[in-house]
Amino acid sequence: MAKLNKTILITGGAGFIGTNFIHYILEKYPRYRIINLDKLTYAGNLANLADISNNSRYQFIKGDIADETTVQRIFKTKKPQIVVNFAAESHVDRSILDPQAFMRSNIFGVYILLEAVKKYGIGRFIQISTDEVYGSVAKGKPNEQARLLPSSPYSSAKASADLLCQSYYKTFHLPILITRSSNNFGPWQYPEKLIPLFITNLLENKPIPLYGTGKNIRDWIYVIDNCRGIDLVWHKGKIGEIYNLGGYNEKNNLEITNVILDKLNKNKSWIKRVADRPGHDLRYALNNQKIRRLGWKPIYSFAKGMRLTIDWYQQHQDWWTKIKSGVYRQYYKKQYKK
Ligand code: NAD
Ligand code: DAU
């Protein structure tokens, strides 16, 4: 085996994007070693990584980024050169119902990571942020200098983390980079988010709850395109900079719903109109020019990404039925007691 030349600490790697990113990096860089630190919240799932659990270049550590002792021990003993922070509470509806965990993981957890970076030093710290920090966009596409106007406890916690990272760059010269992507879709997304929820509900012959008018617009990016963008920012991005990663696929929720209904041969009677999300942002959009200048553009069309995604959920019913019935959660409670 080739000599390993880099240790990367990936936090939140048992979630949707982290899982895709770990697979992508292990495949693309045969000399990188990955340590995955994940708290295994309801959204973290080791079944996603079962295929690489015996890979000598991969190690899983159960732990919380907001736990200083754990984080400092990992920096001291594993000496990562790069940190990519995916760890966060990620679901807007949950942040409206119960924001506390969002403050702890999405803000305090980032502070704990930054303090460890300050103490032990590393080559690059990549903070995975979101287009939601710009808030609802009435017209045009915000670039990286646009004002932050987050609407939900989730997005305001993410915006806070971005500011914290920028302050550690300015004050302590930490090697920070921030990516802000639009709505991801693809394999391993937890079936509480719009696309996997609607696909899996229809496969179970259950109605699909469409919020409000269904006219809210999101810019969709296939998850592998986001992984490619993060990889590029990590290897070619300028320290201290923010990079938007938008898919340039603006669709409203009704359009997304119709694509899924169509592919699964279901009619519109499966749509159940439900009350709107409080503070529901009407539109997200991103200006991509900066990352394009670095050499990135999406390679998955929306249609191809949706085909791959719907096929994946059809072929992995075991994965999502276990999640929906709570089987994995009970298993991790037993196996991974602290
Ligand atoms: P996810 O909810 O699927 O996964 C989050 C992961 O983080 C889980 O494995 C969870 O166990 C872990 N985690 C949560 N709190 C933790 C903590 N305190 N310590 C360690 N691990 C913890 O989320 P996702 O959709 O994969 O999103 C990953 C990141 O990307 C998040 O930071 C999110 O804000 C950002 N993001 C997501 C999207 C999207 O469309 N999904 C778009 C833009 C940005
Ligand atoms: O924009 C990036 C963000 O995308 C990420 O930062 C978040 O982590 C991620 O969860 C996602 O947030 P959204 O709120 O945009 O995604 P969600 O899938 O929850 O909702 C997408 C749209 O679909 C939104 O307008 C609300 C609507 N919706 C959602 C659900 C779950 C429904 O109509 N019905 C639903 O049941």
Side-chain angles (χ1 to χ4, degrees):
M1 196 175 67
K3 201 161 170 258
L4 302 183
N5 61 3
K6 262 197 183 76
T7 298
I8 297 106
L9 174 62
I10 292 182
T11 55
F16 162 48
I17 307 176
T19 291
N20 280 285
F21 191 70
I22 289 175
H23 283 100
Y24 172 89
I25 293 296
L26 282 177
E27 173 84 23
K28 181 165 174 193
Y29 298 102
R31 296 180 66 194
Y32 289 6
R33 174 170 169 256
I34 289 178
I35 295 164
N36 175 16
L37 170 66
D38 196 295
K39 187 178 172 184
L40 295 183
T41 67
Y42 77 94
N45 189 347
L46 289 183
N48 305 359
L49 301 152
D51 59 325
I52 54 163
S53 60
N54 292 323
N55 186 323
S56 58
R57 294 191 290 124
Y58 169 77
Q59 184 188 358
F60 173 72
I61 300 174
K62 182 179 188 290
D64 185 345
I65 59 162
D67 175 359
E68 185 178 13
T69 311
T70 303
V71 169
Q72 298 247 346
R73 178 172 40 82
I74 292 171
F75 273 76
K76 189 170 175 192
T77 56
K78 306 291 177 187
K79 301 184 174 51
Q81 287 101 351
I82 312 292
V83 175
V84 187
N85 178 35
F86 293 94
E89 291 293 334
S90 69
H91 194 43
V92 174
D93 294 326
R94 286 180 190 256
S95 83
I96 295 166
L97 291 171
D98 187 5
Q100 193 168 3
F102 289 74
M103 304 305 136
R104 183 172 158 81
S105 295
N106 301 10
I107 305 176
F108 189 69
V110 174
Y111 157 73
I112 291 293
L113 288 173
L114 290 169
E115 280 294 313
V117 173
K118 177 148 74 81
K119 182 164 172 187
Y120 292 98
I122 56 165
R124 289 184 169 218
F125 179 91
I126 297 132
Q127 170 66 6
I128 306 302
S129 183
T130 169
D131 63 356
E132 292 201 20
V133 297
Y134 301 117
S136 199
V137 181
K139 53 179 194 292
K141 296 177 190 291
N143 66 19
E144 291 79 355
Q145 264 79 54
R147 232 175 8 136
L148 302 186
L149 279 173
S151 305
S152 68
Y154 161 71
S155 54
S156 54
K158 293 295 289 184
S160 306
D162 286 11
L163 297 178
L164 210 48
C165 287
Q166 287 178 285
S167 75
Y168 273 65
Y169 166 69
K170 282 188 199 145
T171 305
F172 305 113
H173 311 294
L174 298 195
I176 307 293
L177 292 131
I178 297 173
T179 66
R180 292 181 180 149
S181 90
S182 54
N183 280 61
N184 285 228
F185 66 108
W188 289 299
Q189 186 167 32
Y190 195 86
E192 65 185 347
K193 308 281 162 63
L194 178 77
I195 290 178
L197 178 72
F198 280 20
I199 297 172
T200 59
N201 272 18
L202 289 172
L203 290 173
E204 289 179 300
N205 287 322
K206 287 184 182 159
I208 48 178
L210 190 64
Y211 297 164
T213 60
K215 296 275 172 62
N216 302 68
I217 295 168
R218 298 292 181 264
D219 171 17
W220 294 94
I221 181 171
Y222 189 64
V223 63
I224 298 302
D225 278 330
N226 186 21
C227 293
R228 292 174 49 248
I230 296 166
D231 174 19
L232 186 67
V233 167
W234 157 7
H235 289 93
K236 298 267 168 61
K238 190 167 165 233
I239 285 176
E241 298 284 318
I242 299 168
Y243 293 89
N244 285 346
L245 283 161
Y248 275 39
N249 287 307
E250 287 189 41
K251 310 268 177 220
N252 72 35
N253 296 335
L254 202 50
E255 290 174 278
I256 299 285
T257 304
N258 287 333
V259 170
I260 299 171
L261 286 170
D262 232 44
K263 176 86 194 322
L264 296 179
N265 292 317
K266 300 272 193 191
N267 61 38
K268 290 189 175 31
S269 69
W270 291 95
I271 300 176
K272 187 179 167 200
R273 300 279 184 165
V274 296
D276 210 353
R277 171 185 281 173
H280 198 172
D281 285 330
L282 184 59
R283 173 177 175 250
Y284 298 142
L286 284 175
N287 177 318
N288 266 350
Q289 292 311 309
K290 189 167 171 182
I291 185 82
R292 280 188 181 247
R293 286 197 294 276
L294 216 56
W296 178 90
K297 63 175 185 200
I299 56 175
Y300 288 85
S301 67
F302 177 73
K304 181 168 183 197
M306 279 302 276
R307 244 190 344 267
L308 291 171
T309 304
I310 295 173
D311 287 350
W312 191 88
Y313 282 90
Q314 282 182 306
Q315 288 155 15
H316 292 80
Q317 302 220 2
D318 190 50
W319 181 84
W320 56 262
T321 47
K322 277 190 181 142
I323 291 178
K324 282 187 149 183
S325 63
V327 169
Y328 283 136
R329 241 172 297 156
Q330 284 154 20
Y331 173 77
Y332 294 134
K333 253 191 209 145
K334 278 199 206 124
Q335 296 292 313
Y336 291 94
K337 275 199 201 118
K338 258 201 136 179

